[in-house]
Amino acid sequence: MAIDRGATRPVLLVIAAATLLAGTLDILDAFTFWSVTKAVPPQRILQSIASGLLGKAAFQGGNATAALGLFLHYFIMSVMAALYVLAARRMPVLVRRPLLMGLAYGAATYGVMNYVVLPLSHVGPAAAFAWPRFINNLGAHLVLVGAPIALVARWGQGQAGQGTISKEEAA
């Protein structure tokens, strides 16, 4: 007989934890990358997120549109987290192989964001291809979005450790 090492956590808690972790890692990466490469301040990064909804007017809105950008960033991340967490509740492979599946999910989120969401938004035309930006964006989606969401989904199902142990091992 197997004894479960951890109980399944409430789905909304798991989604919130995944959103907070991946969302924070991702936005900190954006702040760092754009500050180092182009001296872009965090407010401008957040306004650029808001520009997906407001267009160029977002850059004239000061702290208000920066706050909107931060809200939108975490909202989008919550959708990403919710999709994975809910799928993981029905597809055990997503929590059995969190790093592999998380990296694959990160690649999928990169594709959806860059080839569906951004083209449908009011951000404007895509910037010319640049290897540093591509490597950073893809890497961030793989390592800072997909993998953390998958690991939190695993934690949410009580599988942060080895999983199950036999009754004899527990004695």
Side-chain angles (χ1 to χ4, degrees):
M1 177 178 196
I3 299 171
D4 193 8
R5 285 187 184 228
T8 300
R9 290 162 178 85
V11 71
L12 291 179
L13 172 66
V14 179
I15 292 168
T19 299
L20 185 61
L21 178 60
T24 301
L25 291 171
D26 185 50
I27 201 67
L28 290 175
D29 170 71
F31 290 166
T32 303
F33 178 80
W34 289 105
S35 174
V36 169
T37 61
K38 302 282 185 187
V40 177
Q43 181 185 45
R44 187 94 170 156
I45 300 301
L46 296 172
Q47 289 171 332
S48 73
I49 296 167
S51 75
L53 193 60
L54 304 176
K56 292 182 190 266
F59 298 104
Q60 308 307 315
N63 289 334
T65 55
L68 175 62
L70 187 63
F71 169 80
L72 292 171
H73 170 74
Y74 279 101
F75 174 77
I76 292 166
M77 194 62 66
S78 73
V79 171
M80 290 179 188
L83 289 172
Y84 192 94
V85 168
L86 293 172
R89 300 265 165 142
R90 295 188 177 267
M91 301 170 64
V93 68
L94 297 178
V95 291
R96 272 197 318 265
R97 307 279 305 222
L99 289 178
L100 179 63
M101 296 294 110
L103 293 173
Y105 189 64
T109 62
Y110 172 85
V112 169
M113 285 303 298
N114 286 279
Y115 300 106
V116 178
V117 174
L118 289 175
L120 292 174
S121 76
H122 292 284
V123 168
F129 181 85
W131 279 105
R133 187 177 66 245
F134 169 76
I135 292 167
N136 181 75
N137 288 346
L138 179 59
H141 275 86
L142 295 173
V143 177
L144 304 177
V145 174
I149 288 173
L151 290 168
V152 172
R154 180 179 171 94
W155 165 82
Q157 291 194 35
Q159 297 182 21
Q162 268 57 29
T164 59
I165 59 172
S166 70
K167 190 175 184 179
E168 294 77 28
E169 290 173 324

